[in-house]
Every structure is written in C-alpha cells, then in structure tokens.
Amino acid sequence: GELLTGATNRQIGERLSRSTDTVKAHRASILNKMGVANTVQLVSVLAAAGVLGRDGLTVPDEMRAKSTNHPFG
C-alpha cells in the first residue's frame, strides 16, 4: 500500500488520519520485522519473494494481518 508508493510519513498520516509519529513508528516496525534498513531494501526483498506485481503488493489471504486498522495494510 502506501509505504510502497514512496509516500512520506506525513502524506500517509494525512491520508489515514494518523500522526506523523505514529506512521513513523509503524514504518520502523515493518522495516525491523523484515530485517531491512529502508524502504528500497523492503521493496527489493518483497520483489525477490514474489509478492510484488505490476500493480503493487500481492499478499496471499493467509498472510494478511487480522487487523484492519494498520496504517500500511
């Protein structure tokens, strides 16, 4: 979603009615969990795993987070 479009923390926060600090914390958590240092590395890992298609992220249903309130999901 938003993270992979190159949107800034501020842009994501405005779109999702979240503070920039909240978005920044979620972004850091995602990068940490994926073991990467930045969004460019994240995209590379996701592409290598075959979960990025031409239209963006393609996540199998069984891998989707249960929460619908996550800023990036």
Side-chain angles (χ1 to χ4, degrees):
E2 298 286 329
L3 183 63
L4 301 178
T5 66
T8 65
N9 291 338
R10 182 177 180 179
Q11 291 168 329
I12 294 168
E14 287 174 358
R15 181 166 163 10
L16 300 175
S17 301
R18 302 287 190 267
S19 75
T20 300
D21 287 341
T22 297
V23 174
K24 189 175 183 179
H26 281 289
R27 180 187 295 257
S29 176
I30 291 167
L31 296 177
N32 184 51
K33 287 178 182 181
M34 294 299 295
V36 297
N38 56 51
T39 305
V40 172
Q41 289 179 355
L42 176 64
V43 170
S44 178
V45 167
L46 293 175
V51 295
L52 285 182
R54 285 179 47 151
D55 296 326
L57 188 62
T58 305
V59 180
D61 288 337
E62 61 273 9
M63 293 179 66
R64 291 187 184 276
K66 301 299 180 197
S67 172
T68 57
N69 293 325
H70 197 284
F72 301 115

